[in-house]
Amino acid sequence: MSYYKIHDLENYFKMYKKSVREPRKFWDKIADDNFSWYQKWEKVFDFDFQEAKFRWFIDAKLNITKNCIDRHLARRGDKTAILFEPNNPDEEAQHITYNELYARVAKMANVLREQGVQKGDRVCIYLPMIPELAVAVLACARIGAVHSVVFAGFSASAVAARINDCDSKLVITSDGSYRGDKTIDLKSIVDEALEKAPGVEKVLVVKRTNTNVNMKEGRDIWLQPLLDEAIPNNVAEVMDAEDPLFILYTSGSTGKPKGMVHTTAGYMVYTAYTFKNIFNYEENDVYWCTADIGWITGHSYILYGPLLNGATTVMFEGVPSYPNFSRFWDIIEKHQVNQFYTAPTAIRSLAKESIDFVQKYPLKSLKVIGSVGEPINEEAWHWYNDHVGGKRCPLVDTWWQTETGGIMISPIPFITPTKPTYATLPLPGVQPVLMDELRNEIEGNQVTGSLCIKFPWPSMARTIWGDHQRFKETYFTAFPGKYFTGDGALRDEVGYYRITGRVDDVIIVSGHNLGTAPIEDAINEHPAVAESAIVGFPHDIKGNALYGFVILKETGEGRKQENLAIEINQLISDQVGPIAKLDKIQFVSGLPKTRSGKIMRRILRKIAEGDFSNFGDTSTLLNPECVEEIKNGKL
Ligand code: WTA
């Protein structure tokens, strides 16, 4: 296979230039050389930024699972595809070979077909990190159903909203899930969700925890007996390059979550290409990404990217703190992991524990370590680089988003010199730009601005499910002719990028993107609450934590504030999920507002951070007197 592999820095710059000058040729060759197609494309891509329409590998036909599985069987049939490490270290790890994965996906695909799932139907998958999750995702892709994986930490209301938004008729879940020393009753969360999602006709239930569950007659079915009876007839549906592969929800700064739609061919080509280059994967390596498949990182870099490259990919069910803070390092030794990819929040939480937890492990198998999800602060970068990477493994700080489908800016190990807190350079094929407030592109180095991408790339999201208008408005109107990322960034003297954080109302808490609006909606449902505003403030481990400012109705003012705070957090936990709970809740009598009625979050953010030095221009405030009160009451 002639690979799309970058060999040295000179080759990187050469490829980069080629990708900008001749993007069609660049992508045509990558797609042609490295995948199996039922039919090749007529045209590499076309696009219209104004209408937010993008197409890649136009008219090509393929099935992504043929590329993830079938293509490897001749050479790698007995190689481990998925290495499952259970929550409990005493439970045996499972090595699922490419041959076994092929058979399991075939059976699952036929179960879905027998349950009436057809090409184009949406299937909601709400499962813990167990092999059935991977199998279910791939089985959907096999038959052309659109998977919508919902992170198994989301609440019943969040699950219901996602099911309803994309109109899933079938849900795949489990009786329960293990997380550290806890067992979570997943099935009952689904039961509650389905009270608000009446369109669901079937629920397939995986047995994982042997929890007693309520099986609703005619709707709920245990999965295993169906799999036992399924015929392993293994047809892979012929998909068009632009057929949707999956929907994945991400938080917006307003209203309901956005169902980002990714399509088949472009996503395949881009995730495979980036995986190969960024992790420097070699044939017998064991690769481990600690994300959950409920997030884009898990989709692109636990499943699709690695499997497209015939890799061995570890799937870990548990958490970094169970049974103790050595768990990650223990797994790296146990399976001789070569590439390790995790999030800054995990690094920070482990770095605050005794250094012995990591130091007793040599971690000599590691070759490359990676970070994703939020800016990695300098201290965490060094801890990770020194104690995990042994100052020997390149640390790839990878910047990308649910919307981008794959990694966009990242060092290439052993090629790009790393620099703490910098994601460094764009991958060939990616054209980032920094924009100023007047919508001009900022040229030159040592500058900061809003990060945009000015040319399409294969794995960009194509739309928001059911709401193309919102897609256009959110990403393509702030800077016409460009994709706006929502992030701010700086470019240093050599052209390296450092992502400074969100410039919109999305707050990243422990690596989870949270929109302020849905949380405020949940708070405002409390009968004693009149209005609320939440902002992020820096937190040692989570990166950011949430600070809520709440105005009570007169009727609520006699109530005990501690009790109200508990009730408010319970509401948030029920409606959005426990990850969105507030660390601090301050009851106030007013919120700073502009004359047009907009809350000035900038001021609240400064107060929450404890920075009272300069609130900037407050002349447009309708009620400047409340600022003093809020300052004095800061928690
Ligand atoms: C942030 C996760 C700094 C950023 C793949 C982005 C990062 C958002 C980095 C997308 C990084 C992700 N450095 N910030 N290396 N990686 N981000 O959709 O704000 O869950 O816009 O995708 O995470 O988060 P999402």
Side-chain angles (χ1 to χ4, degrees):
M1 198 187 313
S2 105
Y3 233 106
Y4 37 47
K5 177 96 171 71
I6 299 159
H7 303 289
D8 53 34
L9 203 54
E10 198 187 332
N11 178 236
Y12 162 81
F13 285 115
K14 224 170 104 193
M15 268 177 78
Y16 190 82
K17 281 200 191 106
K18 186 180 160 103
S19 79
V20 174
R21 248 190 254 131
E22 302 179 295
R24 289 182 201 281
K25 257 199 188 151
F26 177 80
W27 290 113
D28 185 80
K29 174 123 183 77
I30 288 178
D32 207 11
D33 285 353
N34 301 293
F35 304 92
S36 83
W37 304 87
Y38 291 130
Q39 179 187 304
K40 297 259 167 96
W41 45 98
E42 293 293 321
K43 200 171 163 194
V44 180
F45 56 81
D46 61 19
F47 62 92
D48 176 348
F49 268 105
Q50 208 173 350
E51 289 306 312
K53 293 235 158 80
F54 305 92
R55 297 193 298 165
W56 281 83
F57 308 110
I58 297 162
D59 288 341
K61 307 283 179 225
L62 73 157
N63 187 292
I64 196 170
T65 66
K66 287 217 121 178
N67 285 278
C68 287
I69 309 172
D70 308 32
R71 192 161 58 112
H72 306 307
L73 296 180
R75 269 181 61 210
R76 305 187 178 106
D78 292 325
K79 175 176 175 174
T80 301
I82 295 176
L83 202 174
F84 172 62
E85 172 68 24
N87 176 63
N88 179 347
D90 298 331
E91 190 184 321
E92 222 177 305
Q94 290 175 34
H95 294 253
I96 302 166
T97 65
Y98 275 92
N99 280 329
E100 285 159 359
L101 187 61
Y102 176 82
R104 285 177 72 167
V105 169
K107 288 198 164 183
M108 186 70 204
N110 281 327
V111 166
L112 293 177
R113 283 190 181 110
E114 281 160 23
Q115 295 305 316
V117 179
Q118 293 181 351
K119 182 173 172 176
D121 288 352
R122 278 77 56 207
V123 171
C124 172
I125 304 176
Y126 185 68
L127 279 173
M129 282 285 286
I130 54 177
E132 287 80 357
L133 169 53
V135 170
V137 163
L138 295 165
C140 286
R142 190 88 183 165
I143 67 170
V146 181
H147 55 79
S148 164
V149 181
V150 176
F151 172 58
F154 273 123
S155 69
S157 309
V159 178
R162 284 156 178 75
I163 289 174
N164 290 333
D165 185 75
C166 69
D167 193 18
S168 301
K169 301 265 184 302
L170 186 133
V171 177
I172 307 174
T173 188
S174 66
D175 50 354
S177 72
Y178 294 125
R179 263 186 92 71
D181 55 8
K182 287 196 226 105
T183 302
I184 297 149
D185 217 350
L186 278 197
K187 176 63 169 59
S188 61
I189 298 175
V190 170
D191 290 341
E192 194 188 326
L194 294 196
E195 286 170 22
K196 292 180 225 149
V200 172
E201 292 161 8
K202 292 269 163 59
V203 181
L204 305 182
V205 188
V206 176
K207 202 167 241 177
R208 173 61 183 141
T209 53
N210 288 313
T211 307
N212 254 332
V213 300
N214 206 352
M215 296 292 277
K216 187 170 168 186
E217 184 81 40
R219 187 192 72 185
D220 304 348
I221 315 170
W222 289 107
L223 179 62
Q224 194 55 50
L226 298 179
L227 287 170
D228 292 341
E229 286 161 22
I231 35 158
N233 137 14
N234 208 349
V235 197
E237 195 69 37
V238 177
M239 303 302 287
D240 185 83
E242 285 297 334
D243 278 338
L245 173 64
F246 64 86
I247 300 170
L248 187 60
Y249 287 87
T250 185
S251 310
S253 41
T254 54
K256 59 177 192 170
K258 298 173 287 195
M260 304 312 307
V261 177
H262 281 283
T263 59
T264 309
Y267 178 81
M268 172 180 81
V269 169
Y270 195 79
T271 52
Y273 153 78
T274 46
F275 175 77
K276 178 72 183 173
N277 280 295
I278 290 159
F279 298 103
N280 205 38
Y281 186 85
E282 290 169 296
E283 186 58 42
N284 295 313
D285 288 346
V286 175
Y287 161 89
W288 179 22
C289 164
T290 69
D292 191 289
I293 292 173
W295 309 114
I296 191 70
T297 308
H299 280 59
S300 303
Y301 299 108
I302 295 178
L303 290 182
Y304 288 113
L307 296 177
L308 286 163
N309 281 280
T312 296
T313 176
V314 175
M315 235 182 118
F316 174 45
E317 185 185 24
V319 293
S321 54
Y322 178 81
N324 59 52
F325 295 103
S326 283
R327 188 67 193 278
F328 274 1
W329 326 126
D330 200 59
I331 295 173
I332 292 174
E333 282 310 332
K334 178 173 170 192
H335 299 301
Q336 290 292 291
V337 170
N338 304 106
Q339 291 88 4
F340 178 68
Y341 190 29
T342 194
T345 185
I347 296 299
R348 287 189 298 261
S349 73
L350 294 170
K352 80 171 199 320
E353 302 299 331
S354 158
I355 193 75
D356 297 344
F357 284 115
V358 57
Q359 258 174 3
K360 58 182 184 204
Y361 296 87
L363 306 179
K364 286 281 181 280
S365 59
L366 288 176
K367 298 198 274 195
V368 175
I369 56 175
S371 169
V372 58
E374 60 188 304
I376 179 164
N377 49 307
E378 186 123 15
E379 219 182 330
W381 195 98
H382 284 294
W383 189 91
Y384 192 25
N385 186 58
D386 296 359
H387 300 296
V388 182
K391 296 188 182 158
R392 171 177 65 72
C393 304
L395 193 174
V396 292
D397 178 0
T398 63
W399 174 83
W400 59 296
Q401 310 178 295
T402 304
E403 295 85 340
T404 68
I407 297 168
M408 304 287 278
I409 304 181
S410 167
I412 296 169
F414 308 106
I415 293 178
T416 320
T418 59
K419 174 173 177 182
T421 76
Y422 281 75
T424 76
L425 298 172
L427 271 283
V430 174
Q431 300 188 34
V433 284
L434 297 180
M435 305 297 290
D436 68 17
E437 282 166 12
L438 298 170
R439 301 171 161 188
N440 297 316
E441 187 174 332
I442 309 171
E443 309 268 354
N445 290 341
Q446 285 189 298
V447 291
T448 59
S450 295
L451 180 64
C452 290
I453 315 287
K454 72 167 172 190
F455 199 80
W457 64 100
S459 65
M460 62 197 300
R462 299 296 195 262
T463 191
I464 291 174
W465 183 263
D467 198 349
H468 195 70
Q469 189 57 26
R470 187 176 180 199
F471 182 65
K472 239 161 73 173
E473 280 163 13
T474 311
Y475 303 106
F476 300 95
T477 50
F479 301 95
K482 303 193 168 56
Y483 164 79
F484 175 45
T485 65
D487 284 332
L490 69 82
R491 192 163 53 219
D492 78 355
E493 60 287 353
V494 300
Y496 274 15
Y497 286 89
R498 176 190 188 168
I499 314 304
T500 46
R502 303 290 311 185
V503 294
D504 57 10
D505 287 335
V506 172
I507 305 168
I508 303 186
V509 178
S510 299
H512 303 300
N513 295 8
L514 301 171
T516 50
I519 302 174
E520 287 165 5
D521 289 347
I523 301 173
N524 297 347
E525 282 202 9
H526 192 289
V529 170
E531 201 181 351
S532 64
I534 61 164
V535 295
F537 68 100
H539 185 279
D540 283 351
I541 292 161
K542 301 183 196 180
N544 295 296
L546 300 179
Y547 193 124
F549 298 90
V550 176
I551 306 178
L552 293 176
K553 289 182 185 154
E554 270 174 34
T555 50
E557 284 172 358
R559 305 254 333 257
K560 252 198 157 152
Q561 298 196 339
E562 299 100 85
N563 294 348
L564 285 172
I566 293 170
E567 290 166 17
I568 286 172
N569 263 332
Q570 189 56 47
L571 264 171
I572 296 174
S573 186
D574 292 345
Q575 306 228 346
V576 186
I579 46 180
K581 282 197 206 167
L582 309 182
D583 270 36
K584 294 182 180 176
I585 300 183
Q586 181 181 347
F587 294 95
V588 297
S589 64
L591 291 166
K593 284 192 179 162
T594 62
R595 280 167 213 284
S596 59
K598 231 178 139 205
I599 297 172
M600 261 220 208
R601 285 171 200 277
R602 180 165 53 80
I603 295 176
L604 296 176
R605 229 174 271 138
K606 284 211 145 196
I607 295 177
E609 284 167 13
D611 172 7
F612 299 165
S613 58
N614 175 14
F615 290 129
D617 180 15
T618 52
S619 61
T620 55
L621 278 186
L622 192 65
N623 52 348
E625 68 289 347
C626 75
V627 175
E628 202 55 28
E629 178 215 310
I630 299 176
K631 239 167 71 179
N632 293 336
K634 183 193 174 283
L635 301 173

